[in-house]
Amino acid sequence: MSKTVVSAGRTSAERKKDVRPLTSLISEAAKVIAPLWPISAFIARHPWMGLEEEPFVHVADRLQEMHGIDLYPPMAVFHAALAKGDIDLAFVERRLQRWLDTTALPAPRHEAERLCRALLWNDALPDGALPDVELEPLVPRSRCVFPVSARLQLTQRLDQQTAKWCKLFYDRGEAVWALPHREQGFYAAWRRLAPEDPSLSKDERKRICEWPERAEEALQQALNKLGVRTEDVQAYLEAHLLALPGWAGMVLWQSRRSGDEIGGLLDYLAVRLSLEWVFAALHVPLEAEEKKEDRAAAFLLAAWIQWGGMTLDEWQRLPLSDRQARLMFVDRFWRIDRRHLWLGAWEDTYEAKLKEAIRPVRPDASQEQAVAQLLFCIDVRSEPFRRQIEAAGPFETYGCAGFFGLPIQTRVLDGHDAHPSCPAIVAPQHEIKETAAPEVAEPYRRRRDLVRFVGRTFKKVKQHLLASLLLPEMSGPWLGLHTLARSAAPAWAGSAVHEASAAAEQKPKTVLSLEYKGENEVGGLPVGLTKDEQVEYVKQLLVNIGLTSSFAPLVVVCGHESETANNPYASALDCGACGGAAGAFNARVFAALANLPHVRAQLAKEGIVIPDETVFIAAEHITTVDELQWVEVPPLSGAAAQAFERLQQALREAGRRANEERMAKLPHVGRLPRDPVAEARRRAVDWSEIRPEWGLAGNAAFLIGRRALTKGAHLDGRVFLHSYDWREDPSGEALAGIIAGPATVGQWINLQYYASTVAPHYYGSGDKTTQTVTGGIGVMQGNGSDLLAGLPWQSVAASDGEWFHAPLRLLVIIEAPSSSIERLLDTDEAFRRKVQNGWLRLASIDPDSGEWLNWEATHPCI
């Protein structure tokens, strides 16, 4: 198929009348990209966030036609999944029949069905099957819009120049010299500096000198000089945004962060299209593109003759309109619909297996009362660890978003910058600061400043033109020994470095600013929480997860983080709910709030009685090695102390079993190591380890319900588990909050992994071993590529030819009556749109009957 750049969803007549302002067209064009956060706060986001108003299958068709971007796995992957038993052919048949029943067929049902069955299994025709017939009049032609730079084969140079200027402008303090005139904006800085760029010719620099000073005027003039027709402007802008979706996504994030939705994109497009005209000025206006025979049409016709049961004579006797309709039918089915049917069958098969695994466990009266309750993040990596902990003793676990419902930004001791510690879709409402007593803070600051001084000096010497010549002679032996030790004995050397770093810092005990202390002079957010807010946040979480009675003596609030070495994507493995940061700070804040006497007193008045002997403590789940590290343990009651001791003993065995389970999945481990815990720790500190853990690869479902549904079930670390008791939520407010927050983040994660798997060359970030961290903002392959927006191939695949992540759209399962689901879909338009358009799938479990219901999408091929 030929690539076209058209604006989907609007007719030609509508486009001809398109006289919208340029800023409006940029805003619409921006829907084809998604914001990209800096690598230091890398959080999940899927690349089609702005396109969810369209059905998934339509977006897949549009992107495949426009830019050759496939949103489906290759047929070979489906056949491999079938061979492994991950796809049940009964579901393929069921989906095919449903599709045939609901699709307007251009031929008798038996002919169309025979053709579709053959195309489900074949990617090529038998030798000699292509007919010798004139094809041109058989395929309806649509006018294609290609960027001028693509038609003149200038794309590579244009991309390189665009990436160069973006890297200079958006640098986050890594460059030795800051780009001049940055304060004036991207376009203005480029406009002043580009005339001095030695990589441009004299004539090209002269054209820039004569170019408009204002970005909007420059963009409009570039469009005019390049000959872009009014009705094609949006499509043209889309094509340029998709040319470098990583850099465009970073610009979009920066724009939104500054409160200007499209100002940054206006500058970006003005720079890019100005450069396009500068390079193409001698060749524009271009002549109309010649029509070329579409050789794919020969395959489409041959498919009808080979598998549709027709002869060439019968074909030629059909009216032209019928021939065109049949060719369009087989074209769409071959490119899109057949793979969508396979994907749906794969998802159906997984759902059927999950349905068998989820069976409600009835309470056992003889079962020992839980001595400890642990609140984990919904992260799929928590599921195996939770299962092993519950099997090790009288412990209960709950799942919730890892920010524990706290819309806060955090400022660590002496921190200059605050970090949002909540999902990207939640705006921080408060700031929580760490402080320390002067007598312990001052020695800490002296040690910390000394360590930082050494680090800054080393960096400055390395960047200095003359001093850098001496640096290898001075530091080479020591760094060489360090590298040798980290390579020959990574476990020992990594642990030694970690312990030395911790000893050098020795952070003192700090106090959290939980009490309201007025507005922050810098950010404007209130520091601390009012007493009412403290009560509300604790109550909200406890109600959401259904923990409102029968409290154990010990409640452990577990944040989580990953421990890896030499990994620019480290934040991608930390808590997505905490904005790509570790969850320990939020866990500490929530546990401290839940221990406040006035909070408990007010909760008791509202029916949530927390016994005096119950103590909340904060911990952190290190996902790479499946262990809990204690963040803050306040004085314990007698019962809580006993529970703490019992839990610590059980955690060792639970961690070992969880690591055994994880090691069995990782490639290149060989047979299961004798000590899986030691092997997990080695991988965590080994600087050469490209895959210390699988992260969230394999995620496929998000279950909202009581733990009784899944307790003891082996869910293989593929399910987000959010605790919820519909009986505690008569208004449906808690369920709506879970769907709008944690479930949405889960969907972002799911589609990020999906995109990085099915289109790694476009939405992934390539081989981790050849990545370059640039400007402190992201990664590139080499020094002039796009800013890579997705996950490395090692995060989704076991090898070049073997996928680990199964690209399935997220299945959301809610344990609640049908009336609750109907109310949710009626009130949450965004969620209803995701379900209707096939961006996720929805099922519910009736709490009384256990009946499993599917809430179908409205489009028959979704």
Side-chain angles (χ1 to χ4, degrees), residues 447-764:
R447 293 191 304 270
R448 179 200 62 196
D449 291 346
L450 177 60
V451 172
R452 291 181 180 178
F453 171 76
V454 173
R456 285 195 301 268
T457 301
F458 184 85
K459 182 177 179 180
K460 286 185 178 297
V461 170
K462 184 172 65 173
Q463 293 175 337
H464 194 276
L465 183 61
L466 296 178
S468 62
L469 300 176
L470 297 175
L471 188 62
E473 305 298 330
M474 298 168 55
S475 62
W478 303 106
L479 293 179
L481 287 173
H482 175 261
T483 301
L484 181 63
R486 294 294 295 266
S487 302
W492 173 81
S495 298
V497 169
H498 179 76
E499 291 174 5
S501 177
E505 185 172 297
Q506 292 181 5
K507 188 174 180 179
K509 182 176 177 59
T510 59
V511 177
L512 300 175
S513 60
L514 299 181
E515 302 296 332
Y516 176 70
K517 292 181 171 61
E519 304 291 324
N520 188 327
E521 295 180 359
V522 179
L525 290 180
V527 176
L529 310 166
T530 66
K531 285 183 167 46
D532 289 342
E533 289 167 342
Q534 292 171 352
V535 173
E536 182 58 30
Y537 288 132
V538 174
K539 175 188 174 183
Q540 188 178 58
L541 182 68
L542 295 179
V543 170
N544 282 358
I545 65 176
L547 179 57
T548 56
S549 61
S550 303
F551 287 90
L554 186 70
V555 180
V556 185
V557 187
C558 307
H560 73 92
E561 74 167 332
S562 172
E563 184 180 349
T564 62
N566 189 31
N567 182 10
Y569 281 88
S571 62
L573 297 176
D574 286 339
C575 184
C578 292
F585 199 104
N586 289 61
R588 184 183 173 197
V589 172
F590 185 86
L593 292 175
N595 286 327
L596 292 175
H598 73 267
V599 170
R600 293 193 176 191
Q602 184 59 39
L603 289 175
K605 293 179 181 179
E606 301 185 34
I608 302 176
V609 179
I610 302 176
D612 292 340
E613 68 174 5
T614 296
V615 180
F616 285 70
I617 68 174
E620 190 163 53
H621 173 205
I622 309 300
T623 57
T624 326
V625 295
D626 271 322
E627 69 179 23
L628 284 187
Q629 292 183 357
W630 308 113
V631 175
E632 184 162 345
V633 180
L636 301 177
S637 65
Q642 293 177 6
F644 186 63
E645 179 64 27
R646 192 167 179 180
L647 177 61
Q648 285 184 298
Q649 294 175 359
L651 284 173
R652 285 190 286 271
E653 178 64 15
R656 187 185 69 81
R657 291 184 177 276
N659 274 298
E660 283 181 350
E661 192 173 320
R662 291 194 193 280
M663 287 297 111
K665 292 182 179 181
L666 287 167
H668 314 305
V669 174
R671 61 186 181 86
L672 195 64
R674 180 179 302 175
D675 188 346
V677 176
E679 174 62 14
R681 287 176 177 164
R682 180 199 67 77
R683 297 174 80 94
V685 297
D686 188 346
W687 70 272
S688 65
E689 180 55 62
I690 60 174
R691 196 181 287 104
E693 61 160 275
W694 272 122
L696 291 90
N699 72 86
F702 192 111
L703 193 145
I704 304 169
R706 293 170 293 179
R707 179 58 171 162
L709 281 173
T710 55
K711 189 169 185 177
H714 192 302
L715 302 180
D716 202 27
R718 301 187 67 185
V719 183
F720 298 96
L721 295 175
H722 199 299
S723 298
Y724 171 72
D725 190 337
W726 68 276
R727 296 168 299 183
E728 302 282 348
D729 183 34
S731 68
E733 183 179 351
L735 178 60
I738 294 171
I739 291 296
T744 297
V745 173
Q747 184 222 7
W748 287 8
I749 293 169
N750 171 263
L751 288 177
Q752 181 186 59
Y753 274 84
Y754 182 103
S756 297
T757 304
V758 300
H761 59 289
Y762 198 86
Y763 293 122

Side-chain angles (χ1 to χ4, degrees), residues 256-277:
R256 292 182 176 177
R257 186 173 179 233
S258 64
D260 185 353
E261 183 69 19
I262 56 97
L265 286 180
L266 173 60
D267 273 12
Y268 173 83
L269 289 167
V271 170
R272 184 173 173 87
L273 270 76
S274 297
L275 281 168
E276 184 178 35
W277 177 79

Side-chain angles (χ1 to χ4, degrees), residues 55-65 69 71-72 336:
F56 178 90
V57 69
H58 290 176
V59 172
D61 188 19
R62 173 185 172 188
L63 291 180
Q64 202 276 341
E65 276 282 84
I69 304 170
L71 267 60
Y72 298 106
I336 300 296

Side-chain angles (χ1 to χ4, degrees), residues 17 34 114 405 455 630 647 675 773 803 832:
K17 298 176 182 177
R114 183 166 57 238
W630 308 113
L647 177 61
D675 188 346
V773 179
W803 292 8
R832 182 175 70 251

